[in-house]
Amino acid sequence: MSEFDLVIRNGRIATAADITDCDLGIRDGRIVAMGLNLAPGREELDASGLLVLPGGVDGHCHLDQPMPDGLRMADDFFTGTRSAACGGTTTVMPFAAQEKGQSLKAAVADYHRRAEGKAVIDYAFHLIVSDPTETVLKEELPELIRQGCTSFKIYMTYDDLKLNDGQILDVLAVARAEGAMAMIHAENADCISWLTRRLLDAGHRAPRFHAAARPMLVEREATHRAIALSELVDVPILIVHVSGAEAVEQIRWARSHGISIYAETCPQYLFLTAEDLGLDGYEGAKCVCSPPPRDQANQQVIWDGLEDGLFTIFSSDHAPFRYDDPQGKKPNGEEVAFPYIPNGIPGLETRLPLLFSEGVNKGRISLNRFVELTATNPAKLYGLYPRKGSIAVGADADIALWDPNRQVTIRNELLHHDVDYTPYEGRTVTGWPVLTLSRGQVVWRDGEVLGQAGQGCFLPCGKPEMAKPKVRG
Ligand code: DUC
Ligand code: ZN
Ligand code: ZN
């Protein structure tokens, strides 16, 4: 009987810290040995010429999230996790979203039902807290945190989700008391509504006015306010989907004052600009997301932050709506005015190849930093480390073998989500995962999906070390 179910030989293994040429031995879904000339496995994989990387952890995506009447997310836990696996990701973290008036526990129970039997790779849940009642704050949140939902998102915008500053302070106080990670969507809601009304009154309806209604200033102000609220409660927060220079400046300022602020950015802020929202046609609806993509100068600031350590994680914010669909970007079949276009773009499968190609292959970030941003740090930030996010003895065998030289021209027909477009259509990237393992099982190999619905498991998250307040004095 062989000691290993699988041995991966001759690959170059990269973690957030090291690059090592050695073999990997896998048994019962976990990495059990790293070394030279390991004994033969029941199965063998030759990784000559390939990079052996931890599977990606996508710390921010939306799958089968309940939507207001008439709208529907295009990806459920099957199509979403399938698509993620084909792009080298092995853990996803979508959101169990509380509707106002709903119990948070009921939202989580419903979300478990939506995921049940569908996922191809492992998944954990963030919470979205939209109604922080006494019961939510005192009973439900603490209980859900104990059950492994140890991170939650708070919105400063969107009428059906936003919290006021007092409510945010209440939720942050629970995060501090219970050791959970708070994620904040920072845009100033009142400024957005004021600008939106003026734009509509002037007859500006096209998708491109989405960007005009959400200028950088509204993100800068809310980012600064979120930082102040976190400082007041003395609890670290993560600012999600940072889009450009003015928000980055606020985060640098906070850190220079000793405030623990983490930061996330996403592919849309590197590879799209407000010009992708189009001129007067409706195609630009495909790139409507919030915050909106900015301009080239802001893209450079985001690259700088990825390189110099400003950003903690790089996530997709996959929020899938079909373009030509009455439940998607054309509600009721109509080309609606910009405030009514569902926000979000697909990106689970293209997140890693885009960053690998333009970041690692073009020399903007190191391979170690790539692993840190896309796998190790999200696992640490959300209490999944060291089970997920690295290659180490004892970790789950969630691994992607990358051909760093494979050229792929991104076409929607090559992708495995259930969205009818990709904003990156026609872009050629160099580097793509040729094989993905989820707990030692091959789920993607040479262009073929081998993963089955239901083989992915729910992951209860631990309380993240990174959520602990700074020790002072
Ligand atoms: N913005 C969000 O805050 N969430 C989903 C998609 C988007 O564009
Ligand atoms: Zn958001
Ligand atoms: Zn989001």
Side-chain angles (χ1 to χ4, degrees):
M1 246 272 285
S2 169
E3 194 182 338
F4 305 117
D5 299 331
L6 173 67
V7 174
I8 303 176
R9 290 188 197 281
N10 308 320
R12 169 156 290 187
I13 298 169
T15 66
D18 296 308
I19 294 185
T20 320
D21 292 331
C22 74
D23 306 335
L24 277 183
I26 293 164
R27 192 176 58 235
D28 297 333
R30 297 170 89 191
I31 299 166
V32 291
M34 294 175 68
L36 298 175
N37 305 314
L38 294 184
R42 261 195 313 112
E43 286 181 50
E44 299 261 330
L45 273 174
D46 180 12
S48 302
L50 302 178
L51 295 172
V52 181
L53 306 186
V57 177
D58 196 335
H60 184 162
C61 61
H62 302 267
L63 297 176
D64 200 12
Q65 199 172 304
M67 285 286 114
D69 273 354
L71 295 182
R72 191 180 69 87
M73 283 203 168
D75 284 312
D76 64 9
F77 276 79
F78 175 59
T79 60
T81 57
R82 173 183 69 185
S83 179
C86 301
T89 288
T90 50
T91 301
V92 291
M93 295 195 66
F95 295 82
Q98 179 198 26
E99 284 173 42
K100 287 201 197 288
Q102 188 189 22
S103 124
L104 192 54
K105 275 166 68 179
V108 173
D110 171 63
Y111 211 46
H112 275 296
R113 283 191 290 275
R114 288 168 184 256
E116 191 64 48
K118 289 204 163 163
V120 174
I121 55 171
D122 291 350
Y123 58 96
F125 293 166
H126 302 294
L127 308 174
I128 289 175
V129 183
S130 68
D131 200 357
T133 59
E134 282 286 295
T135 314
V136 166
L137 294 169
K138 295 217 167 98
E139 295 166 28
E140 294 197 316
L141 257 181
E143 194 179 323
L144 288 164
I145 291 168
R146 282 194 290 277
Q147 290 169 8
C149 294
T150 61
S151 48
F152 33 80
K153 186 170 176 191
I154 299 167
Y155 284 82
M156 298 171 88
T157 186
Y158 295 132
D159 287 343
D160 48 348
L161 295 171
K162 72 176 184 221
L163 304 189
N164 63 35
D165 291 355
Q167 292 172 312
I168 294 175
L169 289 169
D170 282 341
V171 176
L172 292 185
V174 176
R176 188 181 199 283
E178 301 290 337
M181 180 59 68
M183 314 157 72
I184 303 203
H185 178 131
E187 288 185 295
N188 179 311
D190 286 347
C191 292
I192 294 168
S193 337
W194 187 81
L195 285 167
T196 300
R197 256 182 287 117
R198 284 171 64 103
L199 286 162
L200 290 178
D201 287 351
H204 298 316
R205 295 170 48 88
R208 74 186 163 100
F209 293 103
H210 173 77
R214 306 177 101 98
M216 193 77 234
L217 175 159
V218 309
E219 188 182 342
R220 182 230 301 162
E221 186 281 329
T223 301
H224 185 84
R225 189 156 34 100
I227 289 167
L229 300 177
S230 130
E231 185 184 3
L232 188 59
V233 177
D234 185 25
V235 68
I237 55 167
L238 169 81
I239 308 285
V240 293
H241 42 51
V242 171
S243 74
E246 293 183 34
V248 164
E249 280 163 15
Q250 298 305 313
I251 294 161
R252 288 197 198 282
W253 174 88
R255 295 217 184 133
S256 74
H257 286 73
I259 306 166
S260 292
I261 301 293
Y262 304 115
E264 173 199 77
T265 194
C266 312
Q268 44 273 38
Y269 308 116
L270 292 176
F271 302 107
L272 301 177
T273 68
E275 286 186 13
D276 290 301
L277 299 186
L279 294 172
D280 288 329
Y282 197 69
E283 281 270 313
K286 291 178 176 175
C287 296
V288 164
C289 60
S290 294
R294 308 291 179 189
D295 60 12
Q296 275 188 0
N298 281 291
Q299 288 181 340
Q300 185 54 49
V301 171
I302 299 294
W303 276 117
D304 294 344
L306 287 168
E307 191 270 324
D308 71 16
L310 183 278
F311 286 109
T312 321
I313 61 171
F314 184 78
S315 314
S316 67
D317 197 7
H318 180 88
F321 295 99
R322 294 171 70 86
Y323 175 66
D324 224 340
D325 193 317
Q327 293 182 304
K329 294 282 185 178
K330 295 182 181 171
N332 298 314
E334 285 167 30
E335 297 190 352
V336 294
F338 72 88
Y340 308 106
I341 301 170
N343 279 208
I345 60 176
L348 271 169
E349 194 165 345
T350 45
R351 170 184 78 120
L352 296 176
L354 284 167
L355 186 67
F356 185 90
S357 181
E358 296 304 304
V360 180
N361 269 340
K362 296 239 168 109
R364 291 179 169 114
I365 58 170
S366 70
L367 184 57
N368 303 112
R369 179 75 175 133
F370 173 82
V371 171
E372 179 177 67
L373 283 161
T374 59
T376 314
N377 276 357
K380 287 182 175 172
L381 195 66
Y382 300 127
L384 291 171
Y385 186 83
R387 178 172 176 191
K388 302 292 188 188
S390 193
I391 293 183
V393 170
D396 282 356
D398 283 9
I399 292 166
L401 304 192
W402 283 70
D403 177 347
N405 302 313
R406 177 168 295 198
Q407 290 215 330
V408 175
T409 299
I410 297 173
R411 303 257 176 239
N412 196 53
E413 68 209 28
L414 294 179
L415 302 179
H416 299 82
H417 57 198
D418 208 6
V419 187
D420 57 356
Y421 75 96
T422 165
Y424 309 110
E425 185 75 30
R427 183 184 274 273
T428 299
V429 293
T430 305
W432 200 278
V434 291
L435 184 145
T436 307
L437 290 175
S438 168
R439 276 183 284 103
Q441 303 292 313
V442 179
V443 289
W444 161 249
R445 183 178 200 160
D446 298 331
E448 206 184 335
V449 180
L450 298 170
Q452 302 289 326
Q455 75 180 82
C457 294
F458 173 71
L459 301 165
C461 296
K463 292 185 180 181
E465 278 295 310
M466 291 171 82
K468 287 191 176 153
K470 217 170 183 164
V471 178
R472 290 167 206 277

